[in-house]
Amino acid sequence: MAREILLSLKAQLRVPIAVFFSIFFPIIMMIMMMTSYGNFSLRNGYHFIDKYFFISTTIGILPLTLISFPIDINNLLETKHYLRLKYLNVDLKKLFLSNIISYLIIVFISVGINLIVGKSIYNLRLPSIEYLCYFFIQLFYCAIVLLIFGLLLSLIVSDIKALMPVGMTIMFILFMVIGVFVQYSSLPKIIRTISSYIPVKYLANDFYYIWIGQAKWNMPFFKCNTIWLIFLCLICYIIYRRKNNVTRIFN
């Protein structure tokens, strides 16, 4: 499994657009926002960077899960590459799992670079090891659901050329409704109500309270994310089975 994960990781890091949007773009946005607004003070000794860090983290995760991952899976499915691998006795379940794990590693790398830049340049305050672990557990849970949503996109949108614009459209809609471009509290109430049903909203806005030690678990996030997890897994399974049945009929 370790070999498959390493190979998958190397393949993904060779894709320029994946590296740019997941690693460099969040840093660029962080520097732009800090330069534009300044690292002004919040309460209890915290500063703007301590809240913007979560927006920057979200900016890195969404293109990875909504663009890079669906394109990767679509390329595997639509080119029938998985059939060739199957004939070569490659364990497809292990291959898919290694893909998921490698993307989670890239999420960790993206967040880690964000954290290092935020700390070294803007004096981002770090939580205790305990609360840092709680943060990463919930971050990865959110990322897993986003990856499954990306899988659903790859199953629905069969044209690989259409996947990037579709993924980018969804990504920028999410950016708008979770408060990436404006302060979340200034969004219209209807938008905030809608976003409360979107797991990534909690990552961008509410995980801050885990970071500063006010909460260990965000229960509204857990409920929302779990519902999405069950729903997305069910839909992906139905669509995948239907596609397999159609392939058998015409072959």
Side-chain angles (χ1 to χ4, degrees):
M1 175 68 82
R3 182 175 175 274
E4 286 85 355
I5 293 170
L6 185 60
L7 290 173
S8 181
L9 195 58
K10 284 181 178 179
Q12 289 147 24
L13 290 175
R14 287 195 192 105
V15 181
I17 192 167
V19 174
F20 174 76
F21 276 108
S22 60
I23 296 175
F24 294 108
F25 186 57
I27 302 302
I28 292 169
M29 288 297 295
M30 178 189 289
I31 292 171
M32 286 178 61
M33 293 297 289
M34 292 299 115
T35 303
S36 300
Y37 295 99
N39 194 16
F40 53 85
S41 296
L42 301 174
R43 297 177 182 175
N44 301 321
Y46 288 93
H47 293 79
F48 181 42
I49 184 62
D50 297 304
K51 290 212 75 172
Y52 190 78
F53 168 74
F54 301 94
I55 296 292
S56 184
T57 295
T58 304
I59 290 172
I61 291 175
L62 284 181
L64 189 69
T65 55
L66 300 182
I67 300 172
S68 301
F69 182 68
I71 289 174
D72 194 13
I73 297 298
N74 183 278
N75 186 55
L76 185 67
L77 294 175
E78 297 303 323
T79 60
K80 305 300 181 185
H81 182 53
Y82 73 100
L83 290 177
R84 292 194 292 272
L85 293 173
K86 191 174 182 180
Y87 293 144
L88 293 170
N89 294 320
V90 174
D91 189 333
L92 296 181
K93 290 179 181 178
K94 186 183 286 188
L95 178 67
F96 180 73
L97 183 59
S98 66
N99 255 345
I100 293 282
I101 293 172
S102 64
Y103 272 94
L104 290 176
I105 291 172
I106 296 176
V107 167
F108 182 80
I109 292 170
S110 174
V111 175
I113 293 174
N114 245 346
L115 196 152
I116 291 168
V117 172
K119 177 64 178 176
S120 58
I121 300 178
Y122 303 109
N123 198 29
L124 170 70
R125 287 182 64 174
L126 301 180
S128 66
I129 296 297
E130 180 187 7
Y131 281 90
L132 191 64
C133 290
Y134 284 120
F135 165 72
F136 272 109
I137 289 168
Q138 290 166 91
L139 169 72
F140 285 137
Y141 188 34
C142 183
I144 287 168
V145 171
L146 286 170
L147 286 169
I148 296 172
F149 185 78
L151 173 62
L152 178 61
L153 285 181
S154 69
L155 292 172
I156 293 174
V157 184
S158 57
D159 185 355
I160 197 166
K161 293 179 181 177
L163 257 178
M164 182 176 289
V166 169
M168 290 192 75
T169 301
I170 295 171
M171 180 181 75
F172 280 104
I173 290 172
L174 288 175
F175 281 169
M176 288 186 284
V177 302
I178 65 175
V180 166
F181 300 125
V182 296
Q183 190 174 357
Y184 180 75
S185 59
S186 67
L187 291 171
K189 186 177 180 180
I190 182 65
I191 299 296
R192 282 182 280 135
T193 301
I194 292 170
S195 68
S196 67
Y197 297 100
I198 302 172
V200 76
K201 170 263 179 188
Y202 298 94
L203 167 61
N205 297 281
D206 298 347
F207 280 18
Y208 167 74
Y209 298 104
I210 301 170
W211 194 262
I212 65 174
Q214 288 190 11
K216 292 180 178 179
W217 305 104
N218 189 303
M219 294 315 296
F221 159 74
F222 260 102
K223 292 175 184 177
C224 178
N225 209 51
T226 303
I227 290 169
W228 274 100
L229 176 64
I230 296 168
F231 174 74
L232 290 172
C233 286
L234 182 62
I235 297 299
C236 285
Y237 176 76
I238 292 170
I239 293 174
Y240 182 71
R241 287 297 299 269
R242 186 171 295 175
K243 279 194 168 191
N244 269 3
N245 288 338
V246 169
T247 302
R248 290 193 191 102
I249 291 169
F250 288 97
N251 288 340

